């Protein structure tokens, strides 16, 4: 049976209750700040197209480099997370992240932007890996990850609604202003987050043996996460551009996608309220199946209702499934290293989606992007089947 040892006792009077709602929200901010540009969705990519006049292909390469940098930074976090004081590290990383965003909005050259955003991604990815490792030490990691996705979608909705309009008024710098603001808020929260030391007792393997993580289920889960993130991000990063080609104005798109994103929060909140009451296999199979189905619905984006519902449902399943994927990995590890590793693979997927999209989009080949994404989601379900079933049987 997977270890769910008691959460650390609150010792500092200014710290929040370790497994309370407020602590989960603050941890969600910590784990979001480094990658908040992802939650701005296609509005961040479109900021380069509309604000700087870059091509869709160039904008895709810039956002992709940001996410590959995040994967690199998260990998460094995997190596170091056991040996670092996460709070002191956050005090250093967050100001560096803010400074990099300040420099970024003063650059207009595509090549320099690719380089600086890769550096930004590396810092941010390290911070996200750190945050994920701390959430993995909670008594119920799934609930922590559920709140993480809820915060990301809520504030992502605000960004999707406001950033395109601000870009129209102030240029692409408005997108970076949103990132800086979020990082400043997060920095103010850090002193109040509980310590969350590593759990002393190592978790048991699902086969009952006293040893480290089982390699095959871990690799299958990581493969599923990669495919899931690649598929979703490949479509999401081009959601605005797909909408433009379907005849919608930027104002219509920002309003429609902001509402869809806000409704998507319900997927994360459902995880927070349900946890693992029904295991992990059933929620994952239902969630990924719905994601694949409604990804294909993007073929009919010229119909407003279909475009809106497709964005809403894929957003809900994205928030819902990722909570279980990360919880699946965290169940094997008391230190949070595997959760940080899951963050690495997640970011590789987030980066690969827009990269593949940039390679095939041309002047608007969204049909191929949609089909590739749906196929990747089907493969994702196949990879996730065995590890989720194995863990459910162990807990039974």
């Amino acid at each position: 049976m997977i270890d769910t040892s008691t959460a650390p006792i609150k010792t500092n009077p200014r710290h929040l209750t370790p497994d309370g709602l407020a602590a989960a929200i603050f941890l969600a901010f910590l784990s979001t700040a480094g990658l908040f540009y992802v939650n701005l969705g296609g509005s961040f990519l479109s900021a380069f197209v509309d604000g700087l006049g870059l091509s869709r292909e160039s904008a895709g390469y810039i956002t992709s480099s940001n996410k590959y940098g995040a994967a690199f930074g998260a990998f460094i976090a995997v190596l170091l997370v056991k040996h670092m004081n996460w709070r002191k590290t956050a005090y250093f990383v967050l100001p560096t992240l803010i400074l990099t965003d300040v420099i970024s909005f003063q650059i207009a050259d595509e090549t320099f932007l690719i380089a600086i955003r890769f550096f930004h991604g590396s810092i941010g990815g390290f911070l996200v890996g750190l945050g994920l490792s701390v959430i993995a030490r909670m008594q119920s990691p799934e609930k922590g990850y559920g709140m993480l996705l809820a915060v990301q979608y809520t504030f992502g909705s605000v960004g999707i609604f406001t950033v395109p309009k601000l870009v129209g008024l102030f240029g692409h710098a408005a997108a970076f202003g949103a990132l800086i603001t979020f990082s400043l808020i997060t920095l103010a929260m850090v002193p109040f987050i509980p310590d969350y030391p590593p759990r002393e007792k190592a978790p048991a393997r699902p086969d009952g043996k006293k040893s480290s993580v089982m390699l095959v289920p871990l690799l299958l889960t990581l493969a599923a996460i990669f495919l899931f993130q690649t598929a979703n991000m490949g479509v999401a990063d081009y959601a605005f551009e797909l909408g433009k080609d379907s005849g919608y104005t930027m104002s219509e798109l920002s309003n429609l996608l902001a509402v869809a994103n806000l409704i998507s929060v319900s997927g994360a909140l459902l995880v927070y309220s349900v946890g693992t009451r029904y295991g992990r296999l059933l929620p994952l199979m239902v969630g990924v199946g719905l994601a694949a189905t409604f990804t294909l619905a993007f073929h009919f984006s010229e119909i407003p209702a279909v475009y809106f519902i497709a964005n809403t449902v894929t957003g809900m399943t994205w928030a819902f499934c990722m909570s279980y994927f990360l919880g699946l990995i965290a169940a094997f590890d008391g230190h949070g290293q595997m959760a940080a590793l899951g963050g690495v693979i997640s970011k590789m997927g987030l980066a690969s989606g827009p990269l593949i999209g940039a390679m095939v989009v041309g002047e608007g080949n969204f049909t191929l992007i949609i089909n590739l994404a749906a196929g990747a989601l089907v493969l994702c379900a196949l990879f996730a089947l065995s590890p989720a079933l194995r863990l459910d049987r162990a807990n039974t």
Side-chain angles (χ1 to χ4, degrees):
M1 181 136 180
I2 301 304
D3 174 58
T4 54
S5 52
T6 304
I9 298 173
K10 177 179 163 184
T11 56
N12 191 317
R14 74 176 179 182
H15 287 174
L16 300 167
T17 303
D19 283 288
L21 178 61
I25 293 173
F26 278 36
L27 279 175
F29 270 78
L30 180 68
S31 302
T32 298
L35 213 63
F36 186 53
Y37 55 88
V38 172
N39 304 110
L40 296 180
S43 63
F44 192 72
L45 183 147
S46 288
F48 295 113
V49 176
D50 299 331
L52 284 178
L54 298 177
S55 68
R56 291 171 174 174
E57 180 182 1
S58 297
Y61 288 135
I62 293 170
T63 58
S64 179
S65 72
N66 215 155
K67 292 159 190 168
Y68 275 116
F72 174 73
F75 175 72
I76 300 301
V78 173
L79 302 178
L80 301 179
V81 68
K82 284 180 65 175
H83 312 288
M84 302 184 72
N85 181 304
W86 70 263
R87 195 186 309 277
K88 292 180 179 178
T89 305
Y91 281 137
F92 172 77
V93 173
L94 278 165
T96 307
L97 197 70
I98 293 168
L99 179 61
T100 308
D101 277 323
V102 171
I103 295 172
S104 295
F105 72 69
Q106 301 178 61
I107 298 175
D109 181 79
E110 174 189 344
T111 303
F112 285 146
L113 274 172
I114 289 175
I116 193 67
R117 294 319 290 174
F118 181 86
F119 177 71
H120 175 278
S122 299
I123 302 167
F126 182 87
L127 179 64
V128 174
L130 193 70
L132 292 177
S133 72
V134 179
I135 293 177
R137 301 170 188 176
M138 296 180 70
Q139 187 173 4
S140 180
E142 276 86 5
K143 290 187 176 182
Y145 294 129
M147 184 53 64
L148 166 62
L149 273 298
V151 166
Q152 289 179 348
Y153 274 84
T154 300
F155 286 88
S157 299
V158 175
I160 290 172
F161 179 76
T162 58
V163 168
K165 298 175 176 63
L166 293 174
V167 169
L169 294 173
F170 304 108
H172 74 294
F176 294 106
L179 305 185
I180 293 168
T181 301
F182 195 91
S183 295
L184 287 171
I185 295 172
T186 303
L187 187 59
M189 292 178 170
V190 172
F192 304 100
I193 301 175
D195 290 328
Y196 293 108
R199 296 196 299 267
E200 293 181 2
K201 184 180 178 182
R205 286 167 38 144
D207 59 4
K209 296 180 181 179
K210 301 268 187 181
S211 62
S212 59
V213 178
M214 295 182 73
L215 183 60
V216 173
L218 174 63
L219 292 177
L220 288 172
T221 304
L222 292 175
I225 289 174
F226 176 80
L227 289 167
F228 187 77
Q229 295 291 69
T230 299
N232 281 293
M233 201 73 246
V235 175
D237 251 15
Y238 282 96
F240 272 87
E241 300 306 307
L242 171 61
K244 290 178 188 176
D245 279 15
S246 298
Y248 307 109
T249 66
M250 280 301 293
S251 178
E252 290 172 335
L253 288 170
S254 65
N255 294 339
L256 187 150
L257 292 178
V259 174
N261 213 54
L262 194 58
I263 296 174
S264 299
V265 175
S266 61
L269 295 178
L270 184 60
V271 177
Y272 190 81
S273 62
V274 172
T276 56
R277 188 181 308 166
Y278 303 104
R280 294 179 175 88
L281 178 64
L282 180 61
L284 278 174
M285 292 301 104
V286 172
V288 177
L290 287 172
T293 301
F294 284 90
T295 293
L296 290 173
F298 279 108
H299 283 307
F300 308 97
S301 292
E302 67 277 3
I303 305 172
V306 174
Y307 181 71
F308 175 75
I309 293 172
N311 276 287
T312 301
V313 176
T314 54
M316 290 174 64
T317 55
W318 197 346
F320 183 79
C321 292
M322 275 308 299
S323 301
Y324 283 100
F325 278 130
L326 293 173
L328 186 62
I329 290 179
F332 292 99
D333 178 33
H335 290 276
Q337 277 186 300
M338 293 302 103
L341 179 59
V344 175
I345 302 303
S346 170
K347 289 163 190 60
M348 289 294 292
L350 292 175
S352 298
L355 176 63
I356 295 171
M359 293 170 63
V360 304
V361 67
E363 294 300 317
N365 189 11
F366 297 112
T367 297
L368 181 56
I369 293 176
I370 293 167
N371 289 338
L372 288 173
L377 288 168
V378 172
L379 285 177
C380 165
L382 294 176
F383 278 117
L385 182 63
S386 175
L389 179 61
R390 184 180 297 232
L391 195 57
D392 281 355
R393 286 175 174 172
N395 281 316
T396 302

